[in-house]
Structures are given as structure tokens and as C-alpha cells.
Amino acid sequence: MSQVDKLSLESQDQAPTDHEDNKFLNAVLTNDREVLKEIYDRFLPRIIHFIKSNSGTQEDAMDIFQDAIMVIHKKAKTEGLNINKSFYNYLYTICRNLWMRELEKKKKAGVTSIDLHIDTYSVTEDITGLNELIVQRETYKLYLDKFKELGEDCQNILQQFFEGINMKTIALRMGFASEGYAKKRKHICQKRLIDSIKKDPRYKTLKHDH
Amino acid sequence: MITDKDIERLEQYLNGELNGRELESFKNEINHRTELKQELALHQGVREAVNDKDTLLLQETLKEIREEWKIENMSPPTIRFWHTTLFKVAAVIILVATVSLLLYLSQRPTFNRPYELYAHHYKPPTAELVRGFEERDQTKFQDALLKFNEANYQEAAIDFESMIASDPGHIKPQYYLAHCYMNLGNMNKAITLFHVIIDHADNIYILDARWYLGLAYLNQGLIDEARQQFLQLQKNTSKGKEVGKLLSQLESLEE
């Protein structure tokens, strides 16, 4: 039995209490590193087991797990979040939905070995607006991936511009000779970013999903 | 097709700069032009994503935790090759790697003086160069940065000093001038300039300035002053790990 399988079985015996469910949710909202690590230690092995049992790999599972936590974060921040049952069931439901989407994409791309029938190992929650949240998460992920591909100066200029800082101040902070130069740089950086987003294959798919 | 004029008006709309008739006309146009509506959604989405600092921080934390978790919990190989040639080859490679690691650990740097910590950690930054703009001042500045990147600190310092003399509010030349002084051995001037950058309190060089100020203090043997800067930096997630390592090395120095 692999180490991950052992961890998966052990963690199933340690069902979280209500107090712990709130603790986990707060950790996601407040970026509490210690408790987030506990979330990984307690729940990731089970998600790995689930994904590997449904045509996936450990790396797939880690991607899905991270995305699911980001979806919880978004939902909690924008709509407030009340977990009526367990944090794990909530997390599992999102992971399951995310993995279903991945499998459908692979099937459409012609991977014939994919079986779209997913085995369910845990109780799933009914989460309103989950699909919209997932599409939004994937969209933001695309934008941020492309943003990080820009040079450091471009990132700094755009970050400040989007925060509403005026071009004169940006020019001063960046050490540019003039406001006009700062505007030119911003225009070029923004065009580069938007064009790279549009060229990414994910953009068309997400436009369709919206 | 989306034109540059469309983008300009989009920006004005998102910045709240359109009023009255202009605003009504633009809103009307968005309702009638699907591609303009989609372009607006894209620009709006990008702004929201980039501005969402909480989400970005959480993402970084999760990435770090993921790497840690992988190291702690990597599954062993599923193929059993105990008695195969492949296993023997793997065993030899592991043995060689272990011996190399032990040799490396025995030769890992140890530090006896603050100056040694400075020498180990200080690396001058590489300035990002941008060509293709016609403004003369910007070309002079890019030339100075090129000299800096080529380690021609004496000449670069002269250029930066001249720029600062004509415009004392420019932070970027002050930042690179401070590095010129560090590389020319003039620590006191470097320290003064890094303090100016930090006290300015409204520029993108503050975190880096603290790091290098701390290193400059180490160069001068001023351990308490150095520690003060590094402790301030430790609160910032992006530099936390590196600073933590240096603070541990500083403690070992003082034992």
C-alpha cells in the first residue's frame, strides 16, 4: 500500500468536529498557513485516492485540490459561507465537480480511455452557483497566469494602474522621465497582456462557458 | 473589430471618467455591440483578478504548502525491482548522490564575521532595459542602466548622480546609485540613499532597499542595525524565507 493510500485511510478515521470545520474555513479566509497545512495533511490524501481511482494522477489531484480551496475562498469572500455539514464534504464536492470538468475536456480532446462515470466516495453537498464559481476561478487563473508572464516592470505598472493610481505618480515611483512615457509603457504592457489572454486556447472555452 | 479608440473609452469608463452624454452613449454602444461588451468584461475581469491581493497571497501560500507536502509525502515507486539490474543501477546512483551530498554538507559555508554574511548574500540587481522610445532623458537613463549591468559602476554612478541633481524626486536612479556605491566600497553613502528610499514610503523599491540596507550594515559590522531591517522584512511573505535563513545565520554568528 502506498504512503498516500495509508494517509487516506488514517485521515478517514479523524472526522472533523464543527469547531474544526469553522477553523478550516477561517484558515482559508485569513491565509492561516499552519491550518492550511493541516487541511493538506488531513484531506489531500483522500482526494488523491479519489482522483487516481477516476483516471487521474497525483499531480492532477494536487491541482484540483488547490483550485477547490481557491473556489471556497472566493465563495466565502463574496457571498459569505455557511457550511451546514462538514468542510471536507464541501471540499470534496468542489473537487469532484472540478475533476468532472477536466475529464469532459479530455474526452472532447479525443482521449478515448477516459471514463466519465465517476465513483463517489463521500457525501456531496448541494452548492448553489458552483458551476459559475468554477468558471470564474478558471477565468481568473488564466488572467493571472498571463499577467505573471509579463516582465516585472509591466506587472508593477499595471498593478498600480488597476489600483487607480494616476500616471504621474506611477511615473515617479517607477523612476520614469515623464508621465507620457509611463502612459506609453502602460498601453504596451496592457495590450501585450490582453493579446496573450485572447491567444490562449482556454479563453475561447471560457467565453463559451460564460 | 475593437479599435484603439474603443480601448481608450473602455479605460475611461472603468476609471469612472465618462460623464453625462458620453457615458450614456457608451453604455448604449455596449448594449448593441457584442464584441465591445465582451472586451469590457475581459478588461474588467483582468483588473479584478490583478487587484485581488488576498487571493494572490492565498495562491502563493498554497503553492508553497504543496511543495512541502510533496517532499514530506512522495509515494515510493510502485514497481518492485529489488532483484533487477535496474535496481542495482539505481542503488549506485543513490550512493554517488549521497556521497556528493555529504561532501557538500561538509563544505557548506560557515560564517565567522558579519562581513562574510554580507559577501555571501549580496548580489547586485540586474536592471531591466527597455529600448525603442524616443524621449532623450529615458535613453540617457537606459544607457546608465546598461553601464550598471556591465558592472561599470564608476561611470554609472556619475550618470545617476547627474540625473538626481536635476530631479531629486526620482527614486529609481537613487536605488541604482546606492548599488553603485556598495560595489565601489562606499557603504556610508549607500546606507544614506537606502534610507532615503525607505523614508520616501511610496515607491516599489522599499522592500529591496531594506534588504540591501541590512546587508550594508552587515558589511560595516553593525549587527543590531542590520537585524532591525531584516526583522521588518520578515513580515513580508515574499522575502520571508530568505530573510529567515539570514537571521538564523546571524544568530549562529553571535553564539
Side-chain angles (χ1 to χ4, degrees):
Chain A
M1 190 186 283
S2 78
Q3 202 165 340
V4 167
D5 288 335
K6 279 184 205 162
L7 282 167
S8 166
L9 289 177
E10 277 166 12
S11 64
Q12 281 177 44
D13 295 331
Q14 300 161 19
T17 61
D18 285 347
H19 171 69
E20 279 182 321
D21 288 330
N22 286 327
K23 178 179 91 171
F24 295 139
L25 183 57
N26 279 331
V28 171
L29 272 170
T30 60
N31 197 19
D32 183 333
R33 202 180 201 284
E34 208 179 298
V35 180
L36 285 169
K37 179 73 173 38
E38 192 184 334
I39 290 173
Y40 267 72
D41 289 336
R42 297 265 300 260
F43 305 135
L44 178 57
R46 292 159 81 175
I47 300 298
I48 289 175
H49 182 73
F50 162 68
I51 300 277
K52 281 170 88 169
S53 306
N54 288 286
S55 317
T57 64
Q58 185 165 288
E59 278 300 306
D60 288 333
M62 297 187 94
D63 288 340
I64 294 293
F65 193 81
Q66 186 171 314
D67 284 343
I69 293 177
M70 299 306 298
V71 168
I72 292 176
H73 179 254
K74 185 74 184 175
K75 187 158 173 77
K77 254 182 75 169
T78 51
E79 301 167 30
L81 182 57
N82 281 316
I83 293 182
N84 296 321
K85 298 205 172 90
S86 84
F87 180 86
Y88 173 68
N89 286 346
Y90 205 86
L91 179 66
Y92 170 80
T93 304
I94 298 172
C95 288
R96 188 180 182 283
N97 279 43
L98 283 168
W99 186 235
M100 243 342 245
R101 275 176 72 87
E102 271 311 301
L103 289 180
E104 280 165 2
K105 281 183 209 166
K106 288 186 188 196
K107 196 86 180 172
K108 273 186 194 160
V111 179
T112 54
S113 57
I114 298 292
D115 179 4
L116 284 179
H117 171 78
I118 278 196
D119 292 325
T120 300
Y121 289 90
S122 295
V123 174
T124 52
E125 293 269 344
D126 182 21
I127 304 176
T128 14
L130 179 56
N131 275 335
E132 287 77 14
L133 271 173
I134 288 174
V135 169
Q136 196 179 51
R137 161 70 193 153
E138 287 174 358
T139 308
Y140 276 23
K141 207 171 158 186
L142 165 62
Y143 296 162
L144 290 175
D145 285 348
K146 294 300 165 189
F147 180 75
K148 285 195 185 124
E149 286 172 15
L150 298 173
E152 207 181 308
D153 269 6
C154 267
Q155 287 185 39
N156 280 325
I157 292 167
L158 289 179
Q159 208 146 33
Q160 291 178 78
F161 177 71
F162 293 152
E163 279 173 22
I165 292 164
N166 65 57
M167 295 310 300
K168 193 175 175 184
T169 307
I170 293 175
L172 205 65
R173 285 183 185 181
M174 298 296 298
F176 296 149
S178 68
E179 188 180 337
Y181 177 77
K183 271 187 186 156
K184 266 188 213 166
R185 286 291 300 271
K186 184 229 87 177
H187 176 76
I188 288 172
C189 292
Q190 191 163 14
K191 190 167 188 321
R192 205 177 280 169
L193 173 61
I194 298 293
D195 286 349
S196 72
I197 290 171
K198 286 178 177 175
K199 282 187 187 138
D200 192 293
R202 290 177 280 173
Y203 180 65
K204 267 199 188 123
T205 318
L206 288 166
K207 242 171 75 172
H208 173 76
D209 287 342
H210 277 291
Chain B
M1 201 181 105
I2 298 293
T3 62
D4 281 351
K5 183 75 188 159
D6 286 330
I7 303 290
E8 200 186 316
R9 283 187 309 149
L10 261 176
E11 297 273 293
Q12 286 172 328
Y13 174 73
L14 289 170
N15 291 341
E17 290 164 10
L18 293 180
N19 294 307
R21 245 193 225 171
E22 263 185 331
L23 179 61
E24 283 313 306
S25 155
F26 188 69
K27 279 183 178 174
N28 205 28
E29 203 176 336
I30 291 171
N31 286 332
H32 287 98
R33 279 176 67 192
T34 311
E35 60 173 0
L36 187 62
K37 199 175 190 173
Q38 284 170 352
E39 193 74 15
L40 173 63
L42 172 55
H43 282 252
Q44 206 157 24
V46 167
R47 279 190 185 213
E48 280 170 17
V50 170
N51 269 341
D52 194 348
K53 300 263 161 53
D54 285 349
T55 303
L56 290 170
L57 261 174
L58 176 62
Q59 198 159 277
E60 285 309 306
T61 305
L62 292 181
K63 272 191 190 155
E64 286 168 17
I65 293 175
R66 175 184 176 147
E67 292 311 309
E68 273 174 38
W69 195 93
K70 272 162 100 171
I71 292 166
E72 287 167 16
N73 298 288
M74 286 297 280
S75 6
T78 53
I79 301 165
R80 293 176 176 270
F81 53 79
W82 308 109
H83 301 294
T84 66
T85 309
L86 192 57
F87 167 72
K88 287 170 189 165
V89 167
V92 167
I93 292 171
I94 289 166
L95 184 63
V96 168
T98 308
V99 168
S100 307
L101 180 64
L102 285 170
L103 271 170
Y104 163 72
L105 285 172
S106 69
Q107 287 166 14
R108 206 166 42 169
T110 52
F111 305 103
N112 296 313
R113 295 180 299 143
Y115 176 80
E116 288 170 11
L117 267 178
Y118 157 81
H120 180 73
H121 284 279
Y122 178 71
K123 282 162 193 53
T126 306
E128 191 180 323
L129 300 174
V130 178
R131 294 288 179 188
F133 291 95
E134 293 153 11
E135 296 174 26
R136 205 162 21 134
D137 286 350
Q138 205 51 37
T139 309
K140 272 166 62 179
F141 188 46
Q142 295 297 317
D143 287 342
L145 291 179
L146 186 61
K147 287 176 192 170
F148 179 86
N149 283 347
E150 289 169 352
N152 189 352
Y153 299 116
Q154 193 74 53
E155 286 194 25
I158 293 169
D159 290 349
F160 291 134
E161 279 164 358
S162 147
M163 282 175 218
I164 293 163
S166 56
D167 190 349
H170 254 192
I171 291 297
K172 197 168 176 179
Q174 296 192 57
Y175 176 73
Y176 285 101
L177 180 59
H179 279 286
C180 289
Y181 288 147
M182 275 182 100
N183 284 283
L184 293 168
N186 197 333
M187 286 299 152
N188 288 330
K189 279 190 173 178
I191 287 170
T192 304
L193 273 176
F194 284 131
H195 270 296
V196 166
I197 293 166
I198 292 165
D199 291 345
H200 181 260
D202 192 22
N203 64 78
I204 60 168
Y205 298 100
I206 290 172
L207 289 179
D208 287 343
R210 274 205 196 283
W211 170 252
Y212 291 114
L213 177 60
L215 291 180
Y217 278 135
L218 282 178
N219 178 290
Q220 300 294 283
L222 299 168
I223 297 179
D224 288 337
E225 286 82 347
R227 186 184 291 109
Q228 210 177 16
Q229 298 306 320
F230 296 134
L231 285 172
Q232 282 285 320
L233 268 180
Q234 208 175 20
K235 296 171 195 170
N236 177 278
T237 313
S238 65
K239 284 233 174 266
K241 256 189 179 169
E242 201 181 352
V243 172
K245 191 177 161 190
L246 192 149
L247 282 167
S248 308
Q249 288 165 342
L250 203 51
E251 269 172 48
S252 314
L253 199 62
E254 291 175 300
E255 279 162 11

